[in-house]
């Protein structure tokens, strides 16, 4: 953690800058290279030398489903477990998540596997509650510019030494993403990960469009780690491995991949499994991880 005085020094924002604390040019050690800051999330080392893999079910639908997937992604070598207990859903009739019960299941999955938990918080009033269970608080694409939420999450992360996963919005500008990260940093958050989740330019039949070159652009502009989300950016499991390769070629520091069980039913507890089509079956995830270890030495 930065000392108060260091924080104050850093806070001397040059005139006319929209963001500075997260800018590559603000830190001497990052100015002339493409390195990223290193930090630790519950014992997991995040650094420029490692490709971080965050994986798990899009939504926590049941204890059994989540524990099974958690075990599989751990065995395959993932660094963190991600699952949603509160889901941002376009339709009010879609499954909205198990809420606190889902958070408890995620905490149990962490106990079982040792994997740190990444989970989304959508409401500033729920930051304290979600924070009690999460190691990394996710801010979803639709909330990238929810400024009161960014402030609450930034403050909570700073006080409790939590990470923040900031997803890029549906049609983001570089300046907007970095200003969103700046809101977090301005509250003292340091362990910020940016995640490119595709832009919503589509033909109508595809979900989103992956934007790996934006990852590169972000990497050049900030020293924060930037990862790619091949599941949400494509909406199609058949494209997940190749899209992941594109993200890594664009210098992503890691990936966020939805994983389903090999025999995942399309409906659990009467609810359609969230993002079923874009989740990589666990055995395919495992093969892809093996390939990454061999080719990229992760
Ligand atoms: C998610 O991560 O499950 C999700 C809903 O993603 P996004 O906020 O990128 O749409
Ligand atoms: Mn999802």
């Amino acid at each position: 953690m930065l000392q108060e005085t260091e924080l104050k020094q850093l806070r001397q924002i040059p005139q006319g800058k929209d963001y500075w604390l997260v800018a590559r040019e603000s830190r001497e050690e990052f100015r002339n290279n493409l390195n990223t800051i290193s930090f630790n999330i519950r014992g997991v080392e995040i650094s420029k030398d490692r490709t971080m893999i965050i994986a798990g079910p899009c939504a926590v639908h049941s204890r059994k489903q989540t524990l099974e997937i958690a075990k599989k992604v751990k065995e395959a070598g993932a660094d963190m477990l991600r699952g949603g207990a509160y889901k941002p859903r376009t339709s009010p009739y879609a499954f909205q998540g198990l809420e606190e019960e889902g958070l408890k299941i995620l905490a149990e999955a962490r106990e079982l596997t040792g994997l740190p938990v990444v989970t989304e918080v959508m409401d500033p009033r729920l930051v304290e509650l979600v924070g009690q269970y999460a190691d990394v608080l996710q801010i979803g694409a639709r909330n990238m510019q929810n400024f009161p939420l960014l402030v609450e999450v930034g403050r909570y992360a700073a006080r409790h030494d939590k990470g923040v996963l900031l997803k890029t919005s549906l049609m983001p500008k570089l300046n907007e993403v970095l200003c969103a990260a700046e809101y977090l940093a301005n509250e003292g958050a340091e362990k910020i990960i940016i995640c490119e989740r595709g832009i919503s330019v589509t033909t109508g039949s595809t979900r989103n469009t992956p934007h790996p070159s934006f990852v590169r652009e972000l990497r050049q502009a900030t020293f924060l780690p930037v990862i790619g989300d091949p599941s949400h950016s494509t909406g199609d499991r058949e494209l997940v491995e190749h899209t992941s390769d594109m993200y890594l070629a664009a210098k992503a520091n890691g990936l966020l991949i939805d994983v389903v069980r090999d025999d995942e039913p399309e409906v659990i507890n009467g609810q359609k499994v969230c993002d079923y089509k874009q989740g990589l079956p666990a055995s395919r995830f495992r093969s892809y991880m093996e390939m990454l270890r061999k080719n990229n030495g992760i």
Side-chain angles (χ1 to χ4, degrees):
M1 297 265 267
L2 288 179
Q3 296 304 307
E4 196 66 24
T5 45
E6 284 179 279
L7 208 56
K8 283 213 181 98
Q9 273 170 10
L10 274 176
R11 282 232 170 91
Q12 291 179 355
I13 317 294
Q15 275 239 309
K17 299 277 187 197
D18 290 339
Y19 60 88
W20 180 248
L21 302 178
V22 301
R24 185 169 284 288
E25 61 171 331
S26 71
R27 301 260 195 118
E28 176 75 47
E29 70 270 37
F30 298 123
R31 215 167 278 156
N32 299 312
N33 53 55
L34 254 200
N35 294 346
T36 52
I37 43 161
S38 302
F39 51 80
N40 188 292
I41 305 274
R42 211 181 251 272
V44 171
E45 204 47 47
I46 306 296
S47 82
K48 68 173 172 53
D49 304 318
R50 297 195 60 238
T51 300
M52 83 179 94
I53 306 291
I54 305 175
C58 168
V60 173
H61 285 272
S62 76
R63 179 171 175 271
K64 185 168 184 287
Q65 165 238 18
T66 302
L67 298 187
E68 279 178 28
I69 296 176
K71 269 194 264 175
K72 293 284 183 199
V73 301
K74 167 72 183 183
E75 280 164 21
D79 297 296
M80 293 193 241
L81 173 69
R82 189 197 82 117
Y86 294 86
K87 297 303 300 177
R89 309 288 273 141
T90 300
S91 166
Y93 309 123
F95 175 56
Q96 304 286 317
L98 295 181
E99 305 183 346
E100 192 170 2
E101 187 196 335
L103 296 173
K104 289 185 176 152
I105 293 170
L106 286 166
E108 191 181 344
R110 172 175 55 214
E111 282 291 302
L112 188 73
T113 60
L115 294 176
V117 163
V118 183
T119 197
E120 177 160 356
V121 59
M122 293 191 288
D123 183 335
R125 295 168 298 187
L126 290 179
V127 171
E128 287 276 342
L129 175 73
V130 177
Q132 282 168 37
Y133 297 92
D135 300 298
V136 177
L137 292 150
Q138 174 176 326
I139 295 180
R142 288 154 197 81
N143 274 320
M144 190 197 83
Q145 290 191 302
N146 180 339
F147 304 117
L149 179 66
L150 293 169
V151 168
E152 268 317 297
V153 168
R155 209 169 275 171
Y156 187 89
R159 271 201 215 120
H160 300 272
D161 193 29
K162 302 280 182 183
V164 186
L165 182 89
L166 175 68
K167 289 193 132 194
T168 52
S169 62
L170 308 183
M171 287 293 280
K173 302 270 190 305
L174 183 72
N175 185 65
E176 292 169 353
V177 178
L178 294 167
C179 282
E182 187 83 2
Y183 265 92
L184 298 166
N186 189 42
E187 296 300 325
E190 289 166 23
K191 301 178 174 182
I192 304 167
I193 301 163
I194 297 176
C195 177
E196 202 292 311
R197 49 78 75 206
I199 49 177
S200 64
V201 179
T202 85
T203 54
S205 55
T206 57
R207 182 162 177 175
N208 291 296
T209 302
H211 196 356
S213 53
F214 193 42
V215 169
R216 234 173 100 68
E217 211 183 341
L218 285 162
R219 291 273 283 104
Q220 284 158 355
T222 179
F223 53 78
L224 296 173
V226 183
I227 68 174
D229 176 346
S231 292
H232 293 87
S233 62
T234 63
D236 181 352
R237 68 174 60 151
E238 296 312 320
L239 301 176
V240 165
E241 291 101 330
H242 288 308
T243 306
S244 297
D245 291 342
M246 284 203 298
Y247 278 126
L248 296 177
K251 300 277 183 277
N253 298 105
L255 300 165
L256 187 161
I257 301 179
D258 276 3
V259 174
V260 297
R261 292 171 289 184
D262 284 351
D263 57 353
E264 193 74 68
E266 276 204 69
V267 174
I268 303 180
N269 300 335
Q271 302 279 0
K272 267 188 105 162
V273 168
C274 177
D275 292 348
Y276 176 80
K277 287 206 219 75
Q278 68 194 38
L280 212 52
S283 56
R284 249 172 88 175
F285 175 70
R286 189 192 182 101
S287 309
Y288 185 64
M289 290 291 286
E290 277 163 19
M291 204 278 298
L292 279 183
R293 265 193 295 275
K294 208 155 39 157
N295 298 352
N296 300 45
I298 71 158

